[in-house]
Amino acid sequence: MARRRRADAILDTELAELPPELRWREWVARVEAVIFAAPGPVDRELLARVVGRNCSLDLIIDDIRDALRERPYELVSVAGGWQLRTRPRHAEVVHAAFGSEPAPVQLSAAGILVLACIAYHQPVTRGALSEMIGRAVSRDTIAELRALDFIVAGPRSPQPGAPYTYVTTRTFLSHFGLDTLRDLPDVEALEDAGLLDKDKLLAGGLPLSGEGEDDLASEDEEDEE
């Protein structure tokens, strides 16, 4: 923390001595450099550390996107921030260059269905998920989604026993290319397109939970909180 404060004190973010055009170009270069160097999406708060108070980050983002219009990569809004990503039309070339496609995330049929229910109904308890699906949701399915960092325990429900709820994460947004949850596709459209079919997923084998588990959080989950 102390090191970051020293860096902030040294970095001139206002650039008041530069002519307006050069000041703007420097701000654009700083923002692009930070996004390029970051391992994941960069949020507005982080970018604000390297530009002046009077700088419009939205206009800078627009300028960077315009500059990249003919490039094989683009600046996308994802998980509440911005990230440079290869354009989808170049995916085949990238895969060929590296010899194979990246291993896809493996989700069970149960995991897909439960993740969809959490995404659209969060914060939601495991008991509520079981009611939506019509079968008890196992702790193994919840653990699968937590291991992928797609969900985490949310606030406790006001129900008797105060069970934990579940919510999606920034990793979930980033993996599925969403900026916010408002970007989730309409669930009816997914069902109409055959991309989300509860009956088919259930037919694939949704594991049942053990006796007496209901919707109470495990001791491990409580410790994590």
Side-chain angles (χ1 to χ4, degrees), residues 73-111:
Y73 48 89
E74 60 185 334
L75 184 60
V76 299
S77 298
V78 62
W82 294 279
Q83 186 175 31
L84 289 167
R85 292 188 173 185
T86 305
R87 294 185 187 276
R89 67 175 180 270
H90 297 295
E92 183 179 356
V93 174
V94 173
H95 297 159
F98 291 102
S100 64
E101 296 187 12
V105 171
Q106 298 294 330
L107 266 178
S108 65

PDB file of all heavy atoms in Angstrom, residues 73-111:
ATOM      1  N   TYR A  73      -7.177  -7.465 -32.906  1.00  0.00           N
ATOM      2  CA  TYR A  73      -7.674  -7.526 -31.533  1.00  0.00           C
ATOM      3  C   TYR A  73      -8.493  -6.266 -31.255  1.00  0.00           C
ATOM      4  O   TYR A  73      -8.397  -5.264 -31.967  1.00  0.00           O
ATOM      5  CB  TYR A  73      -6.526  -7.668 -30.522  1.00  0.00           C
ATOM      6  CG  TYR A  73      -5.388  -6.701 -30.729  1.00  0.00           C
ATOM      7  CD1 TYR A  73      -5.393  -5.433 -30.123  1.00  0.00           C
ATOM      8  CD2 TYR A  73      -4.305  -7.033 -31.530  1.00  0.00           C
ATOM      9  CE1 TYR A  73      -4.355  -4.546 -30.333  1.00  0.00           C
ATOM     10  CE2 TYR A  73      -3.263  -6.149 -31.741  1.00  0.00           C
ATOM     11  CZ  TYR A  73      -3.299  -4.901 -31.137  1.00  0.00           C
ATOM     12  OH  TYR A  73      -2.275  -4.019 -31.342  1.00  0.00           O
ATOM     13  N   GLU A  74      -9.292  -6.319 -30.203  1.00  0.00           N
ATOM     14  CA  GLU A  74     -10.211  -5.220 -29.910  1.00  0.00           C
ATOM     15  C   GLU A  74     -10.285  -4.984 -28.408  1.00  0.00           C
ATOM     16  O   GLU A  74      -9.878  -5.834 -27.610  1.00  0.00           O
ATOM     17  CB  GLU A  74     -11.609  -5.548 -30.443  1.00  0.00           C
ATOM     18  CG  GLU A  74     -12.211  -6.807 -29.836  1.00  0.00           C
ATOM     19  CD  GLU A  74     -13.536  -7.197 -30.460  1.00  0.00           C
ATOM     20  OE1 GLU A  74     -14.231  -6.305 -30.982  1.00  0.00           O
ATOM     21  OE2 GLU A  74     -13.870  -8.399 -30.411  1.00  0.00           O
ATOM     22  N   LEU A  75     -10.812  -3.820 -28.041  1.00  0.00           N
ATOM     23  CA  LEU A  75     -11.012  -3.478 -26.642  1.00  0.00           C
ATOM     24  C   LEU A  75     -12.475  -3.731 -26.300  1.00  0.00           C
ATOM     25  O   LEU A  75     -13.364  -3.089 -26.857  1.00  0.00           O
ATOM     26  CB  LEU A  75     -10.639  -2.014 -26.397  1.00  0.00           C
ATOM     27  CG  LEU A  75     -10.701  -1.518 -24.957  1.00  0.00           C
ATOM     28  CD1 LEU A  75      -9.766  -2.308 -24.066  1.00  0.00           C
ATOM     29  CD2 LEU A  75     -10.349  -0.023 -24.898  1.00  0.00           C
ATOM     30  N   VAL A  76     -12.715  -4.676 -25.400  1.00  0.00           N
ATOM     31  CA  VAL A  76     -14.090  -5.068 -25.092  1.00  0.00           C
ATOM     32  C   VAL A  76     -14.442  -4.700 -23.653  1.00  0.00           C
ATOM     33  O   VAL A  76     -13.578  -4.641 -22.779  1.00  0.00           O
ATOM     34  CB  VAL A  76     -14.306  -6.585 -25.300  1.00  0.00           C
ATOM     35  CG1 VAL A  76     -14.057  -6.963 -26.742  1.00  0.00           C
ATOM     36  CG2 VAL A  76     -13.403  -7.392 -24.372  1.00  0.00           C
ATOM     37  N   SER A  77     -15.722  -4.426 -23.439  1.00  0.00           N
ATOM     38  CA  SER A  77     -16.245  -4.191 -22.091  1.00  0.00           C
ATOM     39  C   SER A  77     -16.637  -5.538 -21.506  1.00  0.00           C
ATOM     40  O   SER A  77     -17.493  -6.229 -22.056  1.00  0.00           O
ATOM     41  CB  SER A  77     -17.466  -3.270 -22.150  1.00  0.00           C
ATOM     42  OG  SER A  77     -17.119  -2.009 -22.686  1.00  0.00           O
ATOM     43  N   VAL A  78     -16.013  -5.887 -20.396  1.00  0.00           N
ATOM     44  CA  VAL A  78     -16.278  -7.192 -19.800  1.00  0.00           C
ATOM     45  C   VAL A  78     -16.062  -7.116 -18.293  1.00  0.00           C
ATOM     46  O   VAL A  78     -15.126  -6.460 -17.816  1.00  0.00           O
ATOM     47  CB  VAL A  78     -15.378  -8.282 -20.435  1.00  0.00           C
ATOM     48  CG1 VAL A  78     -13.909  -7.999 -20.196  1.00  0.00           C
ATOM     49  CG2 VAL A  78     -15.741  -9.664 -19.934  1.00  0.00           C
ATOM     50  N   ALA A  79     -16.971  -7.767 -17.553  1.00  0.00           N
ATOM     51  CA  ALA A  79     -16.857  -7.883 -16.096  1.00  0.00           C
ATOM     52  C   ALA A  79     -16.674  -6.531 -15.414  1.00  0.00           C
ATOM     53  O   ALA A  79     -15.911  -6.393 -14.463  1.00  0.00           O
ATOM     54  CB  ALA A  79     -15.707  -8.822 -15.725  1.00  0.00           C
ATOM     55  N   GLY A  80     -17.360  -5.512 -15.910  1.00  0.00           N
ATOM     56  CA  GLY A  80     -17.285  -4.200 -15.290  1.00  0.00           C
ATOM     57  C   GLY A  80     -16.025  -3.422 -15.596  1.00  0.00           C
ATOM     58  O   GLY A  80     -15.738  -2.411 -14.950  1.00  0.00           O
ATOM     59  N   GLY A  81     -15.246  -3.869 -16.571  1.00  0.00           N
ATOM     60  CA  GLY A  81     -14.013  -3.176 -16.941  1.00  0.00           C
ATOM     61  C   GLY A  81     -13.752  -3.320 -18.428  1.00  0.00           C
ATOM     62  O   GLY A  81     -14.671  -3.545 -19.217  1.00  0.00           O
ATOM     63  N   TRP A  82     -12.475  -3.201 -18.802  1.00  0.00           N
ATOM     64  CA  TRP A  82     -12.095  -3.314 -20.216  1.00  0.00           C
ATOM     65  C   TRP A  82     -10.922  -4.274 -20.358  1.00  0.00           C
ATOM     66  O   TRP A  82     -10.063  -4.381 -19.476  1.00  0.00           O
ATOM     67  CB  TRP A  82     -11.700  -1.945 -20.768  1.00  0.00           C
ATOM     68  CG  TRP A  82     -12.833  -0.980 -20.825  1.00  0.00           C
ATOM     69  CD1 TRP A  82     -13.807  -0.888 -21.780  1.00  0.00           C
ATOM     70  CD2 TRP A  82     -13.115   0.058 -19.875  1.00  0.00           C
ATOM     71  NE1 TRP A  82     -14.681   0.138 -21.472  1.00  0.00           N
ATOM     72  CE2 TRP A  82     -14.291   0.724 -20.312  1.00  0.00           C
ATOM     73  CE3 TRP A  82     -12.519   0.476 -18.688  1.00  0.00           C
ATOM     74  CZ2 TRP A  82     -14.852   1.792 -19.619  1.00  0.00           C
ATOM     75  CZ3 TRP A  82     -13.073   1.535 -17.981  1.00  0.00           C
ATOM     76  CH2 TRP A  82     -14.226   2.178 -18.456  1.00  0.00           C
ATOM     77  N   GLN A  83     -10.899  -4.977 -21.489  1.00  0.00           N
ATOM     78  CA  GLN A  83      -9.831  -5.952 -21.741  1.00  0.00           C
ATOM     79  C   GLN A  83      -9.575  -6.038 -23.243  1.00  0.00           C
ATOM     80  O   GLN A  83     -10.505  -5.930 -24.057  1.00  0.00           O
ATOM     81  CB  GLN A  83     -10.234  -7.321 -21.199  1.00  0.00           C
ATOM     82  CG  GLN A  83      -9.140  -8.374 -21.280  1.00  0.00           C
ATOM     83  CD  GLN A  83      -9.568  -9.682 -20.623  1.00  0.00           C
ATOM     84  OE1 GLN A  83     -10.734 -10.041 -20.620  1.00  0.00           O
ATOM     85  NE2 GLN A  83      -8.606 -10.408 -20.058  1.00  0.00           N
ATOM     86  N   LEU A  84      -8.303  -6.223 -23.612  1.00  0.00           N
ATOM     87  CA  LEU A  84      -7.943  -6.450 -25.008  1.00  0.00           C
ATOM     88  C   LEU A  84      -8.103  -7.928 -25.317  1.00  0.00           C
ATOM     89  O   LEU A  84      -7.558  -8.782 -24.610  1.00  0.00           O
ATOM     90  CB  LEU A  84      -6.499  -6.018 -25.265  1.00  0.00           C
ATOM     91  CG  LEU A  84      -6.233  -4.502 -25.254  1.00  0.00           C
ATOM     92  CD1 LEU A  84      -4.740  -4.224 -25.205  1.00  0.00           C
ATOM     93  CD2 LEU A  84      -6.864  -3.833 -26.472  1.00  0.00           C
ATOM     94  N   ARG A  85      -8.851  -8.236 -26.375  1.00  0.00           N
ATOM     95  CA  ARG A  85      -9.083  -9.622 -26.759  1.00  0.00           C
ATOM     96  C   ARG A  85      -8.965  -9.775 -28.270  1.00  0.00           C
ATOM     97  O   ARG A  85      -9.313  -8.865 -29.030  1.00  0.00           O
ATOM     98  CB  ARG A  85     -10.478 -10.092 -26.314  1.00  0.00           C
ATOM     99  CG  ARG A  85     -10.631 -10.207 -24.803  1.00  0.00           C
ATOM    100  CD  ARG A  85     -11.937 -10.862 -24.416  1.00  0.00           C
ATOM    101  NE  ARG A  85     -12.025 -11.126 -22.989  1.00  0.00           N
ATOM    102  CZ  ARG A  85     -13.018 -11.772 -22.403  1.00  0.00           C
ATOM    103  NH1 ARG A  85     -14.036 -12.225 -23.142  1.00  0.00           N
ATOM    104  NH2 ARG A  85     -13.022 -11.975 -21.104  1.00  0.00           N
ATOM    105  N   THR A  86      -8.470 -10.944 -28.680  1.00  0.00           N
ATOM    106  CA  THR A  86      -8.393 -11.243 -30.107  1.00  0.00           C
ATOM    107  C   THR A  86      -9.804 -11.271 -30.702  1.00  0.00           C
ATOM    108  O   THR A  86     -10.732 -11.795 -30.082  1.00  0.00           O
ATOM    109  CB  THR A  86      -7.724 -12.613 -30.325  1.00  0.00           C
ATOM    110  OG1 THR A  86      -6.458 -12.621 -29.672  1.00  0.00           O
ATOM    111  CG2 THR A  86      -7.535 -12.885 -31.807  1.00  0.00           C
ATOM    112  N   ARG A  87      -9.953 -10.718 -31.888  1.00  0.00           N
ATOM    113  CA  ARG A  87     -11.266 -10.733 -32.524  1.00  0.00           C
ATOM    114  C   ARG A  87     -11.662 -12.175 -32.867  1.00  0.00           C
ATOM    115  O   ARG A  87     -10.821 -12.991 -33.270  1.00  0.00           O
ATOM    116  CB  ARG A  87     -11.250  -9.883 -33.795  1.00  0.00           C
ATOM    117  CG  ARG A  87     -11.024  -8.395 -33.521  1.00  0.00           C
ATOM    118  CD  ARG A  87     -11.136  -7.563 -34.775  1.00  0.00           C
ATOM    119  NE  ARG A  87     -10.761  -6.181 -34.521  1.00  0.00           N
ATOM    120  CZ  ARG A  87     -11.590  -5.251 -34.034  1.00  0.00           C
ATOM    121  NH1 ARG A  87     -12.852  -5.573 -33.781  1.00  0.00           N
ATOM    122  NH2 ARG A  87     -11.170  -4.012 -33.833  1.00  0.00           N
ATOM    123  N   PRO A  88     -12.932 -12.498 -32.700  1.00  0.00           N
ATOM    124  CA  PRO A  88     -13.384 -13.880 -32.924  1.00  0.00           C
ATOM    125  C   PRO A  88     -13.018 -14.431 -34.294  1.00  0.00           C
ATOM    126  O   PRO A  88     -12.739 -15.629 -34.430  1.00  0.00           O
ATOM    127  CB  PRO A  88     -14.908 -13.767 -32.756  1.00  0.00           C
ATOM    128  CG  PRO A  88     -15.101 -12.617 -31.816  1.00  0.00           C
ATOM    129  CD  PRO A  88     -14.022 -11.636 -32.187  1.00  0.00           C
ATOM    130  N   ARG A  89     -12.978 -13.581 -35.311  1.00  0.00           N
ATOM    131  CA  ARG A  89     -12.695 -14.093 -36.657  1.00  0.00           C
ATOM    132  C   ARG A  89     -11.258 -14.582 -36.809  1.00  0.00           C
ATOM    133  O   ARG A  89     -10.931 -15.262 -37.791  1.00  0.00           O
ATOM    134  CB  ARG A  89     -12.992 -13.018 -37.710  1.00  0.00           C
ATOM    135  CG  ARG A  89     -12.081 -11.800 -37.692  1.00  0.00           C
ATOM    136  CD  ARG A  89     -12.414 -10.890 -38.867  1.00  0.00           C
ATOM    137  NE  ARG A  89     -11.591  -9.697 -38.941  1.00  0.00           N
ATOM    138  CZ  ARG A  89     -11.877  -8.539 -38.357  1.00  0.00           C
ATOM    139  NH1 ARG A  89     -12.997  -8.425 -37.659  1.00  0.00           N
ATOM    140  NH2 ARG A  89     -11.078  -7.492 -38.484  1.00  0.00           N
ATOM    141  N   HIS A  90     -10.402 -14.246 -35.868  1.00  0.00           N
ATOM    142  CA  HIS A  90      -9.009 -14.701 -35.932  1.00  0.00           C
ATOM    143  C   HIS A  90      -8.745 -15.894 -35.013  1.00  0.00           C
ATOM    144  O   HIS A  90      -7.587 -16.316 -34.865  1.00  0.00           O
ATOM    145  CB  HIS A  90      -8.066 -13.558 -35.562  1.00  0.00           C
ATOM    146  CG  HIS A  90      -8.123 -12.389 -36.500  1.00  0.00           C
ATOM    147  ND1 HIS A  90      -7.743 -12.476 -37.818  1.00  0.00           N
ATOM    148  CD2 HIS A  90      -8.550 -11.120 -36.309  1.00  0.00           C
ATOM    149  CE1 HIS A  90      -7.918 -11.300 -38.404  1.00  0.00           C
ATOM    150  NE2 HIS A  90      -8.409 -10.463 -37.509  1.00  0.00           N
ATOM    151  N   ALA A  91      -9.799 -16.424 -34.406  1.00  0.00           N
ATOM    152  CA  ALA A  91      -9.621 -17.529 -33.464  1.00  0.00           C
ATOM    153  C   ALA A  91      -8.961 -18.741 -34.124  1.00  0.00           C
ATOM    154  O   ALA A  91      -8.069 -19.373 -33.552  1.00  0.00           O
ATOM    155  CB  ALA A  91     -10.964 -17.922 -32.865  1.00  0.00           C
ATOM    156  N   GLU A  92      -9.372 -19.060 -35.348  1.00  0.00           N
ATOM    157  CA  GLU A  92      -8.816 -20.234 -36.032  1.00  0.00           C
ATOM    158  C   GLU A  92      -7.317 -20.078 -36.272  1.00  0.00           C
ATOM    159  O   GLU A  92      -6.544 -21.033 -36.113  1.00  0.00           O
ATOM    160  CB  GLU A  92      -9.542 -20.445 -37.366  1.00  0.00           C
ATOM    161  CG  GLU A  92      -9.092 -21.693 -38.116  1.00  0.00           C
ATOM    162  CD  GLU A  92      -9.860 -21.889 -39.420  1.00  0.00           C
ATOM    163  OE1 GLU A  92     -10.797 -21.092 -39.691  1.00  0.00           O
ATOM    164  OE2 GLU A  92      -9.515 -22.831 -40.168  1.00  0.00           O
ATOM    165  N   VAL A  93      -6.888 -18.873 -36.623  1.00  0.00           N
ATOM    166  CA  VAL A  93      -5.471 -18.612 -36.865  1.00  0.00           C
ATOM    167  C   VAL A  93      -4.668 -18.762 -35.571  1.00  0.00           C
ATOM    168  O   VAL A  93      -3.594 -19.379 -35.545  1.00  0.00           O
ATOM    169  CB  VAL A  93      -5.286 -17.191 -37.439  1.00  0.00           C
ATOM    170  CG1 VAL A  93      -3.800 -16.852 -37.562  1.00  0.00           C
ATOM    171  CG2 VAL A  93      -5.958 -17.077 -38.792  1.00  0.00           C
ATOM    172  N   VAL A  94      -5.184 -18.211 -34.494  1.00  0.00           N
ATOM    173  CA  VAL A  94      -4.495 -18.299 -33.208  1.00  0.00           C
ATOM    174  C   VAL A  94      -4.375 -19.755 -32.766  1.00  0.00           C
ATOM    175  O   VAL A  94      -3.312 -20.208 -32.329  1.00  0.00           O
ATOM    176  CB  VAL A  94      -5.239 -17.470 -32.143  1.00  0.00           C
ATOM    177  CG1 VAL A  94      -4.626 -17.701 -30.766  1.00  0.00           C
ATOM    178  CG2 VAL A  94      -5.193 -15.989 -32.499  1.00  0.00           C
ATOM    179  N   HIS A  95      -5.455 -20.509 -32.923  1.00  0.00           N
ATOM    180  CA  HIS A  95      -5.429 -21.918 -32.542  1.00  0.00           C
ATOM    181  C   HIS A  95      -4.430 -22.702 -33.393  1.00  0.00           C
ATOM    182  O   HIS A  95      -3.704 -23.568 -32.895  1.00  0.00           O
ATOM    183  CB  HIS A  95      -6.825 -22.525 -32.679  1.00  0.00           C
ATOM    184  CG  HIS A  95      -7.833 -21.905 -31.759  1.00  0.00           C
ATOM    185  ND1 HIS A  95      -9.200 -21.967 -31.984  1.00  0.00           N
ATOM    186  CD2 HIS A  95      -7.665 -21.200 -30.612  1.00  0.00           C
ATOM    187  CE1 HIS A  95      -9.818 -21.327 -31.005  1.00  0.00           C
ATOM    188  NE2 HIS A  95      -8.922 -20.851 -30.166  1.00  0.00           N
ATOM    189  N   ALA A  96      -4.378 -22.394 -34.699  1.00  0.00           N
ATOM    190  CA  ALA A  96      -3.445 -23.093 -35.580  1.00  0.00           C
ATOM    191  C   ALA A  96      -1.997 -22.785 -35.206  1.00  0.00           C
ATOM    192  O   ALA A  96      -1.130 -23.657 -35.247  1.00  0.00           O
ATOM    193  CB  ALA A  96      -3.723 -22.697 -37.028  1.00  0.00           C
ATOM    194  N   ALA A  97      -1.734 -21.537 -34.829  1.00  0.00           N
ATOM    195  CA  ALA A  97      -0.374 -21.132 -34.483  1.00  0.00           C
ATOM    196  C   ALA A  97       0.141 -21.854 -33.246  1.00  0.00           C
ATOM    197  O   ALA A  97       1.320 -22.208 -33.165  1.00  0.00           O
ATOM    198  CB  ALA A  97      -0.324 -19.619 -34.264  1.00  0.00           C
ATOM    199  N   PHE A  98      -0.742 -22.100 -32.304  1.00  0.00           N
ATOM    200  CA  PHE A  98      -0.321 -22.728 -31.055  1.00  0.00           C
ATOM    201  C   PHE A  98      -0.572 -24.232 -31.032  1.00  0.00           C
ATOM    202  O   PHE A  98      -0.364 -24.883 -30.014  1.00  0.00           O
ATOM    203  CB  PHE A  98      -1.017 -22.057 -29.866  1.00  0.00           C
ATOM    204  CG  PHE A  98      -0.538 -20.654 -29.634  1.00  0.00           C
ATOM    205  CD1 PHE A  98      -1.304 -19.571 -30.047  1.00  0.00           C
ATOM    206  CD2 PHE A  98       0.687 -20.414 -29.043  1.00  0.00           C
ATOM    207  CE1 PHE A  98      -0.858 -18.281 -29.845  1.00  0.00           C
ATOM    208  CE2 PHE A  98       1.139 -19.122 -28.842  1.00  0.00           C
ATOM    209  CZ  PHE A  98       0.361 -18.052 -29.241  1.00  0.00           C
ATOM    210  N   GLY A  99      -1.066 -24.768 -32.151  1.00  0.00           N
ATOM    211  CA  GLY A  99      -1.153 -26.211 -32.278  1.00  0.00           C
ATOM    212  C   GLY A  99      -2.436 -26.843 -31.801  1.00  0.00           C
ATOM    213  O   GLY A  99      -2.741 -27.966 -32.169  1.00  0.00           O
ATOM    214  N   SER A 100      -3.190 -26.165 -30.956  1.00  0.00           N
ATOM    215  CA  SER A 100      -4.428 -26.740 -30.469  1.00  0.00           C
ATOM    216  C   SER A 100      -5.302 -25.641 -29.894  1.00  0.00           C
ATOM    217  O   SER A 100      -4.827 -24.552 -29.566  1.00  0.00           O
ATOM    218  CB  SER A 100      -4.159 -27.802 -29.393  1.00  0.00           C
ATOM    219  OG  SER A 100      -3.567 -27.197 -28.272  1.00  0.00           O
ATOM    220  N   GLU A 101      -6.573 -25.954 -29.786  1.00  0.00           N
ATOM    221  CA  GLU A 101      -7.485 -25.010 -29.171  1.00  0.00           C
ATOM    222  C   GLU A 101      -7.358 -25.096 -27.660  1.00  0.00           C
ATOM    223  O   GLU A 101      -7.043 -26.152 -27.121  1.00  0.00           O
ATOM    224  CB  GLU A 101      -8.937 -25.323 -29.578  1.00  0.00           C
ATOM    225  CG  GLU A 101      -9.192 -25.168 -31.062  1.00  0.00           C
ATOM    226  CD  GLU A 101     -10.662 -25.317 -31.391  1.00  0.00           C
ATOM    227  OE1 GLU A 101     -11.479 -25.304 -30.447  1.00  0.00           O
ATOM    228  OE2 GLU A 101     -10.994 -25.435 -32.579  1.00  0.00           O
ATOM    229  N   PRO A 102      -7.574 -23.948 -26.980  1.00  0.00           N
ATOM    230  CA  PRO A 102      -7.533 -24.014 -25.517  1.00  0.00           C
ATOM    231  C   PRO A 102      -8.602 -24.945 -24.981  1.00  0.00           C
ATOM    232  O   PRO A 102      -9.689 -25.054 -25.544  1.00  0.00           O
ATOM    233  CB  PRO A 102      -7.807 -22.557 -25.099  1.00  0.00           C
ATOM    234  CG  PRO A 102      -8.452 -21.918 -26.290  1.00  0.00           C
ATOM    235  CD  PRO A 102      -7.901 -22.615 -27.486  1.00  0.00           C
ATOM    236  N   ALA A 103      -8.262 -25.667 -23.931  1.00  0.00           N
ATOM    237  CA  ALA A 103      -9.211 -26.621 -23.363  1.00  0.00           C
ATOM    238  C   ALA A 103     -10.444 -25.890 -22.845  1.00  0.00           C
ATOM    239  O   ALA A 103     -10.319 -24.936 -22.080  1.00  0.00           O
ATOM    240  CB  ALA A 103      -8.555 -27.396 -22.226  1.00  0.00           C
ATOM    241  N   PRO A 104     -11.622 -26.302 -23.288  1.00  0.00           N
ATOM    242  CA  PRO A 104     -12.832 -25.629 -22.819  1.00  0.00           C
ATOM    243  C   PRO A 104     -13.109 -25.971 -21.364  1.00  0.00           C
ATOM    244  O   PRO A 104     -12.668 -27.001 -20.852  1.00  0.00           O
ATOM    245  CB  PRO A 104     -13.926 -26.206 -23.732  1.00  0.00           C
ATOM    246  CG  PRO A 104     -13.411 -27.557 -24.115  1.00  0.00           C
ATOM    247  CD  PRO A 104     -11.912 -27.414 -24.197  1.00  0.00           C
ATOM    248  N   VAL A 105     -13.819 -25.064 -20.701  1.00  0.00           N
ATOM    249  CA  VAL A 105     -14.243 -25.340 -19.335  1.00  0.00           C
ATOM    250  C   VAL A 105     -15.251 -26.480 -19.369  1.00  0.00           C
ATOM    251  O   VAL A 105     -16.216 -26.446 -20.128  1.00  0.00           O
ATOM    252  CB  VAL A 105     -14.878 -24.090 -18.698  1.00  0.00           C
ATOM    253  CG1 VAL A 105     -15.519 -24.430 -17.361  1.00  0.00           C
ATOM    254  CG2 VAL A 105     -13.824 -23.003 -18.527  1.00  0.00           C
ATOM    255  N   GLN A 106     -15.006 -27.511 -18.574  1.00  0.00           N
ATOM    256  CA  GLN A 106     -15.888 -28.665 -18.545  1.00  0.00           C
ATOM    257  C   GLN A 106     -16.942 -28.480 -17.461  1.00  0.00           C
ATOM    258  O   GLN A 106     -16.614 -28.419 -16.283  1.00  0.00           O
ATOM    259  CB  GLN A 106     -15.075 -29.936 -18.282  1.00  0.00           C
ATOM    260  CG  GLN A 106     -14.046 -30.246 -19.350  1.00  0.00           C
ATOM    261  CD  GLN A 106     -14.700 -30.599 -20.689  1.00  0.00           C
ATOM    262  OE1 GLN A 106     -15.803 -31.127 -20.720  1.00  0.00           O
ATOM    263  NE2 GLN A 106     -14.015 -30.297 -21.769  1.00  0.00           N
ATOM    264  N   LEU A 107     -18.180 -28.368 -17.872  1.00  0.00           N
ATOM    265  CA  LEU A 107     -19.292 -28.239 -16.931  1.00  0.00           C
ATOM    266  C   LEU A 107     -20.241 -29.404 -17.130  1.00  0.00           C
ATOM    267  O   LEU A 107     -20.590 -29.743 -18.265  1.00  0.00           O
ATOM    268  CB  LEU A 107     -20.048 -26.928 -17.165  1.00  0.00           C
ATOM    269  CG  LEU A 107     -19.665 -25.705 -16.330  1.00  0.00           C
ATOM    270  CD1 LEU A 107     -20.504 -24.509 -16.743  1.00  0.00           C
ATOM    271  CD2 LEU A 107     -19.833 -25.975 -14.854  1.00  0.00           C
ATOM    272  N   SER A 108     -20.646 -29.998 -16.039  1.00  0.00           N
ATOM    273  CA  SER A 108     -21.639 -31.071 -16.135  1.00  0.00           C
ATOM    274  C   SER A 108     -22.980 -30.478 -16.526  1.00  0.00           C
ATOM    275  O   SER A 108     -23.207 -29.266 -16.458  1.00  0.00           O
ATOM    276  CB  SER A 108     -21.765 -31.778 -14.790  1.00  0.00           C
ATOM    277  OG  SER A 108     -22.295 -30.883 -13.812  1.00  0.00           O
ATOM    278  N   ALA A 109     -23.899 -31.356 -16.943  1.00  0.00           N
ATOM    279  CA  ALA A 109     -25.251 -30.898 -17.271  1.00  0.00           C
ATOM    280  C   ALA A 109     -25.888 -30.234 -16.068  1.00  0.00           C
ATOM    281  O   ALA A 109     -26.556 -29.201 -16.182  1.00  0.00           O
ATOM    282  CB  ALA A 109     -26.102 -32.084 -17.744  1.00  0.00           C
ATOM    283  N   ALA A 110     -25.674 -30.821 -14.895  1.00  0.00           N
ATOM    284  CA  ALA A 110     -26.213 -30.227 -13.674  1.00  0.00           C
ATOM    285  C   ALA A 110     -25.605 -28.860 -13.433  1.00  0.00           C
ATOM    286  O   ALA A 110     -26.298 -27.907 -13.063  1.00  0.00           O
ATOM    287  CB  ALA A 110     -25.934 -31.147 -12.489  1.00  0.00           C
ATOM    288  N   GLY A 111     -24.301 -28.738 -13.652  1.00  0.00           N
ATOM    289  CA  GLY A 111     -23.623 -27.464 -13.443  1.00  0.00           C
ATOM    290  C   GLY A 111     -24.151 -26.372 -14.348  1.00  0.00           C
ATOM    291  O   GLY A 111     -24.337 -25.223 -13.927  1.00  0.00           O
TER     292      GLY A 111
END
